Each structure stands twice: as structure tokens, then as C-alpha cells.
Amino acid sequence: MSRARFKRELPPAQEHIEKLRKVVDEGNYYGALQMYKSISARYVSAQRFSEALDILFSGASLQLEHGQVSCGADLALLFVDTLVKATAPCNDETLDRIRYMYKLFPRIHVPPHLVDMNDDEAVQKLQEALGEAKVRVESVSSFLRAAVKWSSEFGGPSSGAPELHVMLADYLYTESPELDMVRISWHFVRGEDPTKFVSTLINFMGKCYPGEDDLAIARAVLMYLALGNMQDANFIMDEINKQEESGQHHLQESDLIQFISYLLQTLQRDALPVFNMLRTKYKSSIDRESLLNELLDDIAGRFYGVQRRNPLQGMFGGIFNMMG
């Protein structure tokens, strides 16, 4: 059968959408998942991409509405894969669909890790909750990472659509049983929402281990600066200082924060010797995390034209390539 004939013989996608809705409503979630996949594949083969996307969007949304995270995530990811096959441009309509599916992923409170280890039932419930949370987070991460990549390749910014980065960063922060603030911050600085980012940092400062708050702030500021974003780097520090002045949060004095404050002033002028002097003077504080030196090398290149000793490292190498 020729592709043209096959294309004509496929019924309107809405017919399948209505039939599959009944299958999901009857509780046959896995069976429906397989049907969504096979039917949408036929429309892709016939190059009727728009209808394939309609089917997958409907299926992902419906599965998630029924609390079927794994099934919904599979179809949401397949939706993005189909966008790539269709070379669909990154536009508001498609981003709205991605946002809609994202909002359907559940946000479930994970009980505190501290439980009575002698209470077998409590321990089991905690283990189950943590396992389910990890599955949810990985499902959302896979979906949104694919969406970021699609948006970067089909009309969005080279680093991906900012709002997708914010979605991912926010879900990672609020839902991950084990916080990875490096990964969260990496997405936030590409999200063009410094207000939400600083709010997240302040929240983190209220519950992190002593001595981690200054590291989180320094990392955020340096990540912005490594992208050449002085405005948002200064915004982070200004907002943190406002919190301090208003008494809403107390940030302990730290050599690392002092270094960041001096650095922001130094980068406003052509002062490479001062930049190097600061790195030497505060070396012990900077060395608390190897990433800080990586970021400072990128900042030296961006602001002062200093070439890296190892060109394979930096903004497009090392830890950043793992964040995609």
C-alpha cells in the first residue's frame, strides 16, 4: 500500500481519541498506553504529524488526570519525540501543550526522612514514598529535558526555551527526595526568572545544612556571570541583602560571600589583575567546590578574554554537558 493511499485511509484522529478515552476511563491504562503508541505511530508513518500529536497529547493528559504517572510520562515523551520527527517549530501553541501536561504531573508530599527505624511500617511507607517520588521526578525530567532539546533545535533559544528550564528546576526542587542544587541552579539560570530562583534559594537557605547557604548563593551568582548575565547576578545578591536587612533571613558572614560581593564590583571594570588577586586571596573558600573554579575560569574568558588551559572544559564541557 502506498503512503499516499495509507494516508487517505486513516480516519480522523478524533475518532481514535474518543475510543481511547473510553478505554482509559474503564481503567485499562496499560492497554490504552499500547494503543496510543501504535495508533499514533500509524499517523507518523503517514506523515499526519498534527493528528499524531493530538492523539499523544490527549493520551498523556488523560493518563495523568487518572494518576497514571508512568503511562502519562511515556506519552508525553513520545509527544516531544514526534515534535522532532515533524520538525515542529517552537511556538506558543506547542509550549502551551507542554505546560498543560507538566501541570498534570502530581506533586505529592514526601514524609520526612527521620522516622522511627524500629517502626517497620513507618520505614516501609517512607521507602515506598521515596521510590515513587524518584520515579515521578525522573519521568518529568526525561520529558522536560527532551522538550528543552527540541526547543533549542527548532526555533527557540540555543539553550532551550526559558520557561521549560524553570518548569524543570521548580519540579526538581519541590519534588526531589534528594536535592541537587547544582542541577536545579543550572536550569534556573537559563530560565529568565530570577525572582523565582531567588525565592527558591531563600527557601533552601532555611532548611539546608549549616554552611551550605553561602555556597548555594555563590554558585548561583557565578553561574549567571559565566553566561555574561551581570544583571541577574546582581539581582540575586541584592535580594539576599534585602532579606538580611529586613530580618527575614540571616546569612552568616562568610569569606565566600565577601568574595562574591567584591567580584561583582570588579567585573564592572577592566580589572583583570584585581580579579586574579581576588581568586588568590579567597582561594581556600573557592576551593570548597571544584565547580566554582570552573565557573570562574569561564568568567575570566567571558569578561577578560582569558583562554582556558583545557579548552574541553567550561560552559560546554564537564558538568554542564550532563545537565541537558
Side-chain angles (χ1 to χ4, degrees):
M1 183 183 295
S2 68
R3 176 173 291 180
R5 181 181 175 188
F6 181 54
K7 186 174 182 178
R8 287 196 303 270
E9 291 188 354
L10 285 172
Q14 191 60 36
E15 291 185 17
H16 290 297
I17 290 173
E18 292 171 359
K19 291 177 181 178
L20 289 172
R21 175 178 291 276
K22 294 178 181 178
V23 178
V24 174
D25 289 341
E26 290 170 356
N28 186 5
Y29 305 119
Y30 183 75
L33 172 64
Q34 300 310 311
M35 287 187 275
Y36 277 117
K37 287 182 175 181
S38 62
I39 292 171
S40 63
R42 296 177 202 164
Y43 285 83
V44 169
S45 296
Q47 296 189 346
R48 289 168 63 171
F49 296 111
S50 178
E51 289 170 286
L53 290 167
D54 289 345
I55 292 169
L56 292 168
F57 172 71
S58 173
S61 302
L62 192 58
Q63 293 274 19
L64 290 170
E65 287 169 1
H66 280 263
Q68 301 302 303
V69 176
S70 295
C71 291
D74 279 356
L75 294 174
L77 184 56
L78 190 52
F79 176 89
V80 178
D81 289 344
T82 304
L83 289 175
V84 174
K85 291 176 181 176
T87 64
C90 177
N91 55 34
D92 290 340
E93 179 182 356
T94 303
L95 288 174
D96 283 345
R97 281 185 154 188
I98 292 173
R99 186 186 308 111
Y100 183 87
M101 289 184 284
Y102 163 75
K103 289 182 177 180
L104 290 175
F105 280 92
R107 292 176 180 259
I108 302 173
H109 174 69
V110 177
H113 288 33
L114 297 177
V115 299
D116 183 357
M117 298 306 292
N118 295 317
D119 186 339
D120 292 341
E121 184 178 353
V123 171
Q124 182 178 353
K125 287 183 178 179
L126 175 60
Q127 291 175 337
E128 290 174 355
L130 293 176
E132 291 170 359
K134 289 179 180 179
V135 170
R136 289 195 302 273
V137 170
E138 185 51 42
S139 295
V140 174
S141 297
S142 297
F143 163 49
L144 289 181
R145 285 199 307 267
V148 167
K149 189 172 187 295
W150 156 76
S151 68
S152 71
E153 294 174 352
F154 294 96
S158 60
S159 61
E163 71 171 292
L164 297 178
H165 282 292
V166 174
M167 289 179 198
L168 181 50
D170 183 59
Y171 202 89
L172 289 172
Y173 182 75
T174 60
E175 303 303 310
S176 295
E178 297 177 357
L179 289 181
D180 182 349
M181 285 303 295
V182 173
R183 186 180 181 194
I184 291 165
S185 299
W186 191 91
H187 286 291
F188 262 128
V189 298
R190 285 153 180 78
E192 297 183 1
D193 191 348
T195 300
K196 190 172 187 65
F197 187 17
V198 79
S199 175
T200 299
L201 286 171
I202 291 169
N203 180 274
F204 176 73
M205 290 162 61
K207 61 184 181 183
C208 66
Y209 291 110
E212 284 191 7
D213 49 359
D214 63 338
L215 192 56
I217 294 167
R219 188 190 299 122
V221 171
L222 293 180
M223 282 186 175
Y224 272 127
L225 292 174
L227 294 175
N229 189 342
M230 278 283 291
Q231 179 177 340
D232 289 338
N234 278 291
F235 177 81
I236 293 291
M237 285 305 300
D238 289 345
E239 291 301 305
I240 296 295
N241 289 332
K242 287 178 184 177
Q243 290 281 323
E244 180 81 10
E245 293 169 2
S246 66
Q248 296 182 50
H249 186 86
H250 177 62
L251 176 64
Q252 292 184 345
E253 292 187 10
S254 159
D255 286 346
L256 188 56
I257 293 299
Q258 190 175 64
F259 165 72
I260 293 298
S261 297
Y262 288 145
L263 177 65
L264 287 170
Q265 298 173 42
T266 301
L267 293 178
Q268 295 179 27
R269 52 200 177 97
D270 187 8
L272 178 58
V274 179
F275 175 86
N276 290 331
M277 181 196 70
L278 287 173
R279 290 191 69 170
T280 300
K281 180 178 180 181
Y282 291 95
K283 184 178 185 303
S284 61
S285 295
I286 297 168
D287 286 347
R288 285 170 56 190
E289 183 175 274
S290 60
L291 176 59
L292 302 187
N293 276 304
E294 286 285 312
L295 291 167
L296 285 166
D297 286 346
D298 286 319
I299 291 166
R302 183 173 290 274
F303 285 84
Y304 299 119
V306 178
Q307 292 187 351
R308 276 184 164 275
R309 295 177 183 174
N310 183 355
L312 297 179
Q313 294 179 338
M315 290 304 299
F316 301 101
I319 191 169
F320 295 99
N321 274 342
M322 297 186 291
M323 297 296 177

